[in-house]
Amino acid sequence: MADLVIRNAHVLDGSGGPGADGDVAIEGDRIVEVGDVGPVGATATEIDADGLVLSPGFVDVHTHDDGAMIRHPDLAFKVAQGCTSLVLGNCGFSAAPAEPGQPDTSGLLGGAPSWSDLEGYAAAVTAAGPAINAVALVGHNTIRQLVMGDPGSATYGPDKRREPTVAELGRMADHVSRAMEQGACGFSTGLIYEPGRYSRTPEVIELARRAADAGGLYASHIRNEGDRLLEAVDEAITIGSEAGLPVQLSHHKASGRRNWGKVVESLARVDEANAAGADITLDVYPYTAGSGPMAQYFDLADINTELAEVIRFASCPAFRAYEGRMAVDIAAEEGSTPAEVIHKVLTAPEGRRTICIQFIIDEGDIETNLRHPRMMVGSDGVVDLAGRPHPRLFGTFPRILAHYVRDRGVLTLEEAVRRMTSLPARRFGLADRGEVRAGAFADLVLFDAAAVVDTATYDDPKQEPTGIDAVIVNGAVAYRSGTHTGAAAGRMLRYEPS
Ligand code: CU
Ligand code: ZN
């Protein structure tokens, strides 16, 4: 007997093919019927979806929601966008493995972990009762710091750039294997960040091999996204081929004005490698600004003045009044320079916890990226709700539908839905998800394709989109007509390669 029936929807099944009008019946956590659903028992909930599109729930392939799964288990900012599954552990930073009780230096967890491995983290997530599903990558920066120590600490030793010893590399590799055994979908790096930036390619290959052994993938925030973008893409391709596993290039971009347009060349390298037998996919966020921990982008001894010019403060515990403002404007007001503002903030107590937004990306490059058939969507939102986070945290998926599909016609609605559902679900091993068919999990989003719109802006970023009518996770209605129901039907998923 169906528990929930959605009637008269325009159903897009996630395949990219044309939709069909019809009904979808759900029993428990699965879809049981698609098409013409006859009368069902009086106990079933019915939703009339006339004029609305019903598609698989969106998969956010690039998140930093590892801590939010526990601290904000309603994941309201993701559910309201139509997301039903997340990929955690990106850019080399993952919640597990960890040393229980040790302070969280990544800033992603927002507190000391109580777990030591992915199994323990998954148990903590389950206990928190998340509204949404997630699968995890295991992060290079995390395991390197766990095994070798924090190069930012006074006790690390004189050589920040040192390579791991054979024993250390072995312990790091064992962490990757263990995470894979416990359900991770792959291994991630963030090679611009500390301490990953001190690693050389062979170290990464060695660790990626352990993910390859378990059929996982390699997801990378590559070593350089600006002047040396192409070399960094080549390195990722090499890692994939040497370690023998698929590659996901995270938040593909060419940063810095003089590099704009270079994504064409970098996508050409990806196509060439794929034609020669590699298996490379990518993701992008639909905004011209990036965001992340400011301390990681600046060398205090030699502040990058060009970058300082395009910095805006998202969250700044040292100077709350700076939140939402550009460093250039603050400098003009204070009679200093943007570089001096950055220096002042980073050297203040708690200054290293600053999250910034940097306007470094070309709008045309975003469209080039979105046209690529192997391009997925990842928000890359950083969850610090105290300040003014990058609007991508609240707006990414509706922005694709509103701006890039409806207004700009960069891709069709059917194709956009495929890139946000079945493509990522297969890539990240979310079995029986990302499609609307009998037997699949009932992870669904119902939206008004003509009206859906992101309303989060840089000035006012914590705004949920409009036009998302309902979000269903594992058969439970998590969101309906602007209201979060409190359903906590999300699950930690184990990677199941297809
Ligand atoms: Cu990231
Ligand atoms: Zn990144």
Side-chain angles (χ1 to χ4, degrees), residues 164-458:
T165 63
V166 171
E168 284 170 336
L169 187 57
R171 272 170 24 228
M172 288 162 68
D174 289 344
H175 277 302
V176 177
S177 295
R178 193 166 162 75
M180 294 304 299
E181 276 162 31
Q182 296 183 347
C185 55
F187 172 61
S188 82
T189 57
L191 298 175
I192 67 150
Y193 296 119
E194 270 200 330
R197 68 166 75 128
Y198 305 125
S199 66
R200 307 210 182 131
T201 312
E203 170 185 329
V204 181
I205 291 170
E206 192 59 34
L207 299 174
R209 279 202 178 110
R210 295 298 189 95
D213 290 345
L217 60 88
Y218 173 63
S220 184
H221 178 155
I222 58 178
R223 213 175 278 275
N224 190 291
E225 296 180 318
D227 295 348
R228 293 186 304 286
L229 170 66
L230 301 179
E231 293 87 327
V233 168
D234 286 345
E235 184 192 25
I237 294 171
T238 301
I239 292 164
S241 72
E242 291 288 314
L245 79 179
V247 176
Q248 175 83 10
L249 296 179
S250 299
H251 44 60
H252 184 239
K253 67 169 85 66
S255 60
R257 186 173 289 272
R258 66 175 166 273
N259 296 305
W260 289 358
K262 238 193 220 178
V263 296
V264 173
E265 281 166 82
S266 124
L267 288 172
R269 290 203 187 196
V270 166
D271 290 340
E272 213 175 284
N274 282 335
D279 181 6
I280 301 159
T281 47
L282 317 91
D283 56 80
V284 66
Y285 48 78
Y287 294 88
T288 57
S291 178
M294 193 168 82
Q296 296 269 12
Y297 305 126
F298 290 98
D299 174 359
L300 277 180
D302 178 22
I303 300 238
N304 177 341
T305 52
E306 194 187 327
L307 183 59
E309 301 271 335
V310 294
I311 291 289
R312 180 183 169 116
F313 292 94
S315 153
C316 186
F319 300 93
R320 288 281 177 204
Y322 288 0
E323 290 172 350
R325 304 192 63 201
M326 298 289 297
V328 251
D329 296 333
I330 297 166
E333 194 178 278
E334 297 183 353
S336 66
T337 66
E340 283 164 356
V341 171
I342 307 282
H343 194 276
K344 177 173 110 179
V345 168
L346 287 178
T347 51
E350 291 202 284
R352 297 186 71 80
R353 283 180 46 219
T354 305
I355 304 289
C356 67
I357 292 170
Q358 55 278 12
F359 291 86
I360 49 173
I361 303 164
D362 177 41
E363 180 61 42
D365 283 355
I366 297 174
E367 297 200 356
T368 302
N369 269 323
L370 285 172
R371 282 195 186 92
H372 195 279
R374 298 192 130 218
M375 187 67 57
M376 306 173 200
V377 177
S379 68
D380 201 10
V382 181
V383 192
D384 191 338
L385 299 173
R388 287 201 220 191
H390 189 306
R392 65 192 182 181
L393 184 63
F394 282 77
T396 293
F397 290 82
R399 183 165 170 77
I400 295 287
L401 298 172
H403 188 67
Y404 294 100
V405 172
R406 193 174 61 227
D407 297 347
R408 300 279 305 152
V410 175
L411 62 184
T412 64
L413 178 62
E414 292 78 7
E415 176 64 3
V417 166
R418 179 183 78 84
R419 305 271 206 85
M420 304 194 296
T421 59
S422 67
L423 183 66
R426 274 181 208 141
R427 188 57 157 183
F428 289 90
L430 312 182
D432 291 339
R433 297 183 195 270
E435 45 189 335
V436 178
R437 66 160 164 83
F441 284 103
D443 285 353
L444 299 161
V445 56
L446 189 61
F447 61 95
D448 183 343
V452 63
V453 70
D454 55 304
T455 56
T457 61
Y458 291 96

Side-chain angles (χ1 to χ4, degrees), residues 62-64 90-91 193 221 251 380:
H62 193 105
T63 83
H64 294 287
N90 280 285
C91 296
Y193 296 119
H221 178 155
H251 44 60
D380 201 10

